[in-house]
Amino acid sequence: MSAVRRKKDELTPEKLAPKVGIAAREARNRAGLTQEEVAERVGISPEVYGRMERGGFLPSTPTLFKLCHVLGVRADVLLGLAAEESATPPQPTQSTQRAPRLELTRDSRRLLRVVRTMDSQQLAAFRRVTCVLVDFKRKRRRSRKPSQEART
């Protein structure tokens, strides 16, 4: 027998990780977010977030803090130490408040994830292609306006 015994109800990482995962999943679903969206906002990969949500491991303290902020849940609730009903989401302080986020489509978010992984040469090529597409769209709009005016 070991000299140090753990109490049966003591929280161990093995017991706590599934609780955090379940609480994170419930909060994410309430917020109407996907795992990819939460992972992107927290700054971790979707695979890592999914593993955490399944109870595979506990997040680090900085990641837990970001997760609470993104999901609008207090840390004690996420850790299963307080009831959800009594919990009020943490209010962002002036230093953490951000401008309202533009809601992006799923395809736009996917494109942003790809762009973030590009090196400088890839970004330059992407920028050139984007400029060509924008110019094409502008020219197309201009060419349609006179024909639309003739119809009325």
Side-chain angles (χ1 to χ4, degrees):
M1 283 215 167
S2 71
V4 179
R5 290 183 157 218
R6 291 190 174 197
K7 297 178 187 176
K8 284 186 179 181
D9 59 342
E10 186 177 333
L11 287 177
T12 62
E14 295 80 23
K15 290 181 182 178
L16 191 55
K19 289 182 180 187
V20 171
I22 290 168
R25 182 180 309 113
E26 289 172 354
R28 177 180 59 79
N29 287 334
R30 274 193 312 277
L33 298 170
T34 65
Q35 286 186 344
E36 289 176 341
E37 290 170 326
V38 173
E40 182 179 328
R41 293 178 187 184
V42 171
I44 57 178
S45 74
E47 294 79 15
V48 168
Y49 179 77
R51 202 168 80 228
M52 187 206 62
E53 220 179 63
R54 290 188 301 276
F57 69 95
L58 287 171
S60 66
T61 303
T63 301
L64 180 68
F65 178 77
K66 291 176 192 174
L67 192 59
C68 290
H69 183 73
V70 167
L71 296 175
V73 177
R74 290 190 338 223
D76 58 344
V77 173
L78 207 56
L79 293 169
L81 302 173
E84 209 171 304
E85 301 85 41
S86 66
T88 53
Q91 298 300 315
T93 61
Q94 283 216 320
S95 62
T96 61
Q97 285 179 343
R98 295 180 180 164
R101 282 182 64 118
L102 173 66
E103 290 301 317
L104 301 173
T105 65
R106 186 176 185 164
D107 288 337
S108 298
R109 289 189 304 270
R110 190 173 294 149
L111 180 61
L112 281 173
R113 279 194 299 277
V114 170
V115 169
R116 286 184 181 133
T117 64
M118 292 180 176
D119 62 28
S120 60
Q121 289 179 334
Q122 291 170 322
L123 280 173
F126 181 76
R127 189 178 322 111
R128 286 191 298 273
V129 169
T130 304
C131 289
V132 169
L133 290 172
V134 169
D135 287 343
F136 175 76
K137 186 176 180 180
R138 283 185 192 141
K139 289 176 185 176
R140 193 170 174 197
R141 279 188 188 162
R142 285 186 208 136
S143 67
R144 285 185 178 179
K145 285 184 182 180
S147 62
Q148 288 176 348
E149 291 172 4
R151 291 181 196 167
T152 58

